[in-house]
Amino acid sequence: MTYQVLARKYRPQNFQEIVGQEHVVQALVNGIENDRLHHAFLFTGTRGVGKTTLARVLAKSLNCLEGISGNPCGVCQHCEEIKNGEFIDLIEVDAASRTGVDDTRSLLENVQYAPNKGQFKIYLIDEVHMFSKSSFNALLKTLEEPPAHVKFLLATTEPDKLPVTVLSRCLQFNLKRLTQKQIGDHLISLLEKEAVPYDDKAIQLISRVADGSMRDALSLMDQSLAFGAGKINFDEIRAMLGTVEQSHVEELLKFIQQNDHIGVIDKLEWFHDMSIDYLQLLEDMCSLLHEISLVQSLNKVVGGANFELSELKALSQTVSPEQVQWYYQLVVVALEQLKYTPNKKVSFEMAVIRMLDFELSDGVSEKKTALSEHTAPASVAEKSASSPQINEAPMANAYSSLNEEPVTTKFETAVKQPEPLVAIDLTTLNNKTWPSVFGELQLKGGSRELARHLEILENKNNVITFAVDHSAEIFLNEKAQQSIRNRLLTDSSDYQLKFTLKSEVNSLAQQANKDLNEKAEMMQQIDPIVMDLQNQFDAKIIENKLGD
């Protein structure tokens, strides 16, 4: 007997067997039971989530010999013919192979004729987005006002490609991607029916790789049964898919975080020897960093099919939140570059090297350097004790650092300790002398922007209090504050710097903007061309706010 693949053998035959689309099933069943049937239905969603299956079950419900209901009998002649694709009044069309307007006109020629056997003549058009513009135009009038005996069931993975005129004529149902648990539970129930031995980790792996598609999961299970000679075994499936056990991803991250070059080299060589899928490896690294971040920020542990809970909790304690965000950005960049580089191994190893040898400047990343124990950056707790700071989330620090400060190597971060560039008399420092001092500090990036938006409120009792403009709050992080301290204060200085937010600040940035506005007003008064443009076209002058 010819073997029937699992995706066809176990295709749902009624609404109760459909997995993960309860919101659609409920709407359809209620519409059928209450005699509120639309003439056109559009099913959208990614591949393998049940669009065509739902359409066929709906066709069965409408033409069952037992009568129209939300629970077709499944055994009558009409139900059997629909199941086997032999029902004459169910016209299934693959829009990808019939894109022309002549094909559409030919399809609609018999719309006005009554069904041969069933109560409704049903047109099931799959991948309807493949129709040409002319085909859609030919379909519109019939789609809006078909005869009472006709129902249109449309299915597509790309609803955004459908004209609005078609969308507005249909009752639209968006099918969801299935969760790993939904896929896993369904696979287990089928394997028990087939009396096939399996292990839970293998089912979890198939569910994860299926990526929300039940059909993909069933196809992978067919492939696994062939590969494993009728058994579902985790190690064999992992070898078949070319995936790596998640413990190896966790181990690689540990080596990177510990700055263990030998361990990293050994792990990279192992990946190469095992012919690992480097794209999947980067995606696994993304998932690992994401789950670590969930543990750190939201105290939420997912784990399960992806990673061991104990390992996630351990990594969340050893890798700082700033490092997690920084590593994640590097991996995402590598994933994007992987699309354009011919050698995926090189791209992956370059991403690992960046994670190993680069960190955020000014010590935002807490990773210790192996070059010198004496020059390693201070911990976050030590920084907090040494100087007052404004409380803020770690994410803000990472965001500011990624976008405003240059990346430096560990060697530079370890050996370059910024010192004051000039001798500054702090006893006379006030808001009047601040502009000249600012010019001598030679600050860069976010630190410079923060300094431009400062006003010295008070200099008393060896404490200098700065007001920070609310518009510059994004620059107000510990890294920028520490940079200003490093430029102003010596190691022996007993001065302290305090920063506080204020709505209106007499800062260098405000003064620069004021000067620009005055220049713009002067230009309007003296430049006849500018005045003419304003009078004729209601033009506005756009200020150059680059400042100094």
Side-chain angles (χ1 to χ4, degrees):
M1 183 178 178
T2 304
Y3 176 73
Q4 190 174 28
V5 298
L6 295 175
R8 294 186 60 191
K9 183 177 180 179
Y10 291 104
R11 182 189 288 271
Q13 300 302 320
N14 55 57
F15 288 119
Q16 288 70 37
E17 293 179 1
I18 293 172
V19 178
Q21 309 300 342
E22 291 79 7
H23 63 298
V24 178
V25 169
Q26 181 179 343
L28 291 176
V29 171
N30 289 344
I32 294 171
E33 298 291 349
N34 295 303
D35 195 23
R36 299 181 66 87
L37 287 171
H38 204 270
H39 59 269
F41 298 82
L42 174 63
F43 300 101
T44 67
T46 186
R47 80 273 180 268
V49 294
K51 300 183 296 296
T52 307
T53 297
L54 265 171
R56 288 179 179 172
V57 173
L58 179 57
K60 195 182 294 185
S61 297
L62 298 178
N63 283 303
C64 179
L65 287 174
E66 297 293 328
I68 299 175
S69 74
N71 187 24
C73 70
V75 296
C76 68
Q77 182 183 1
H78 288 184
C79 288
E80 282 292 330
E81 289 180 354
I82 292 174
K83 176 183 177 180
N84 299 325
E86 300 168 353
F87 191 61
I88 194 172
D89 291 323
L90 175 59
I91 300 98
E92 291 198 35
V93 179
D94 178 17
S97 60
R98 303 187 64 172
T99 59
V101 64
D102 292 336
D103 294 323
T104 306
R105 287 171 180 164
S106 174
L107 177 69
L108 299 176
E109 280 180 356
N110 298 321
V111 165
Q112 69 271 22
Y113 299 119
N116 289 281
K117 300 174 66 175
Q119 187 165 347
F120 293 97
K121 180 181 287 187
I122 298 175
Y123 289 86
L124 199 170
I125 306 177
D126 205 4
E127 299 302 332
V128 67
H129 65 274
M130 298 294 289
F131 268 167
S132 65
K133 183 178 180 180
S134 300
S135 295
F136 278 123
N137 290 334
L139 179 67
L140 281 179
K141 188 61 179 176
T142 307
L143 189 63
E144 183 175 27
E145 297 178 357
H149 59 266
V150 172
K151 301 293 181 185
F152 284 96
L153 309 181
L154 313 180
T156 179
T157 55
E158 302 182 53
D160 54 301
K161 292 186 177 180
L162 269 64
V164 178
T165 49
V166 172
L167 293 174
S168 64
R169 288 167 166 82
C170 299
L171 207 60
Q172 185 171 343
F173 296 97
N174 183 31
L175 278 66
K176 298 183 295 186
R177 292 160 55 94
L178 301 177
T179 65
Q180 290 185 22
K181 186 178 187 308
Q182 289 171 334
I183 294 175
D185 290 346
H186 188 63
L187 293 183
I188 290 173
S189 67
L190 299 187
L191 288 172
E192 290 175 350
K193 291 179 182 178
E194 294 283 318
V196 173
Y198 66 90
D199 62 62
D200 291 335
K201 289 184 68 176
I203 299 301
Q204 291 175 354
L205 178 59
I206 292 175
S207 302
R208 180 167 60 89
V209 175
D211 193 27
S213 169
M214 184 65 76
R215 184 175 61 235
D216 286 8
L218 292 172
S219 298
L220 283 170
M221 197 158 71
D222 262 322
Q223 185 179 350
S224 303
L225 286 169
F227 190 86
K231 295 185 295 184
I232 302 292
N233 180 271
F234 174 74
D235 291 330
E236 291 180 345
I237 293 176
R238 185 163 52 81
M240 177 189 76
L241 296 175
T243 58
V244 62
E245 193 171 354
Q246 304 303 328
S247 60
H248 293 289
V249 182
E250 296 165 354
E251 193 173 6
L252 175 62
L253 183 60
K254 288 180 183 177
F255 288 146
I256 294 172
Q257 195 273 334
Q258 295 168 0
N259 199 31
D260 185 349
H261 291 232
I262 303 300
V264 169
I265 291 172
D266 290 342
K267 187 57 64 177
L268 291 178
E269 290 177 350
W270 185 87
F271 287 147
H272 176 67
D273 293 340
M274 296 297 293
S275 300
I276 295 300
D277 182 350
Y278 288 102
L279 174 61
Q280 183 65 50
L281 199 55
L282 281 174
E283 291 177 352
D284 288 344
M285 183 66 78
C286 263
S287 297
L288 175 59
L289 293 168
H290 168 246
E291 297 208 26
I292 293 173
S293 186
L294 286 177
V295 174
Q296 291 175 332
S297 300
L298 304 178
N299 197 27
K300 176 183 178 183
V301 182
V302 181
N306 296 329
F307 304 97
E308 294 292 335
L309 302 184
S310 58
E311 286 296 329
L312 283 178
K313 292 179 180 178
L315 284 169
S316 68
Q317 297 296 324
T318 57
V319 186
S320 71
E322 290 83 359
Q323 281 179 286
V324 173
Q325 300 299 329
W326 176 236
Y327 290 162
Y328 185 83
Q329 294 296 327
L330 293 177
V331 174
V332 168
V333 170
L335 277 170
E336 184 66 24
Q337 292 176 344
L338 211 63
K339 301 175 184 177
Y340 309 106
T341 53
N343 192 324
K344 292 179 170 53
K345 174 179 178 290
V346 171
S347 294
F348 174 77
E349 291 182 354
M350 286 300 295
V352 173
I353 290 171
R354 293 188 195 109
M355 295 169 69
L356 189 65
D357 286 345
F358 292 85
E359 61 184 16
L360 302 180
S361 62
D362 286 337
V364 170
S365 175
E366 298 173 37
K367 182 166 57 176
K368 304 295 184 182
T369 175
L371 294 175
S372 171
E373 294 181 359
H374 303 290
T375 55
S379 67
V380 173
E382 291 170 344
K383 290 179 183 178
S384 302
S386 64
S387 58
Q389 63 180 20
I390 293 179
N391 185 25
E392 64 182 74
M395 187 62 187
N397 287 341
Y399 175 86
S400 300
S401 305
L402 285 172
N403 289 280
E404 296 153 11
E405 289 291 317
V407 175
T408 61
T409 65
K410 285 183 174 181
F411 179 78
E412 292 173 329
T413 305
V415 301
K416 286 175 64 177
Q417 298 297 326
E419 294 293 337
L421 301 179
V422 293
I424 299 172
D425 184 3
L426 296 179
T427 60
T428 61
L429 184 61
N430 55 42
N431 211 47
K432 292 182 179 179
T433 60
W434 176 244
S436 60
V437 172
F438 169 81
E440 297 174 342
L441 294 181
Q442 299 183 20
L443 294 165
K444 296 180 180 179
S447 306
R448 175 182 171 81
E449 284 305 305
L450 176 61
R452 289 185 67 244
H453 290 81
L454 295 179
E455 175 187 357
I456 298 179
L457 295 179
E458 188 178 56
N459 184 350
K460 187 171 67 173
N461 298 331
N462 289 356
V463 177
I464 301 175
T465 304
F466 290 95
V468 184
D469 197 317
H470 264 292
S471 64
E473 185 175 359
I474 188 175
F475 304 114
L476 187 58
N477 53 70
E478 175 59 25
K479 169 186 61 60
Q481 295 176 46
Q482 191 61 42
S483 293
I484 295 174
R485 290 190 184 98
N486 290 337
R487 299 307 195 273
L488 279 176
L489 308 179
T490 62
D491 292 337
S492 59
S493 175
D494 56 355
Y495 266 81
Q496 291 185 347
L497 305 184
K498 288 186 177 181
F499 299 84
T500 180
L501 287 171
K502 189 179 176 184
S503 56
E504 294 184 6
V505 173
N506 182 20
S507 64
L508 295 173
Q510 184 191 53
Q511 186 59 45
N513 288 336
K514 182 179 179 181
D515 293 342
L516 285 172
N517 291 335
E518 292 176 353
K519 291 178 182 177
E521 291 177 2
M522 186 180 301
M523 283 293 297
Q524 294 179 44
Q525 296 174 4
I526 65 175
D527 193 329
I529 297 178
V530 173
M531 295 178 64
D532 191 39
L533 289 172
Q534 287 182 308
N535 293 332
Q536 291 190 41
F537 304 105
D538 194 24
K540 295 181 180 179
I541 296 177
I542 300 176
E543 301 173 7
N544 174 12
K545 293 190 177 182
L546 292 178
D548 56 352

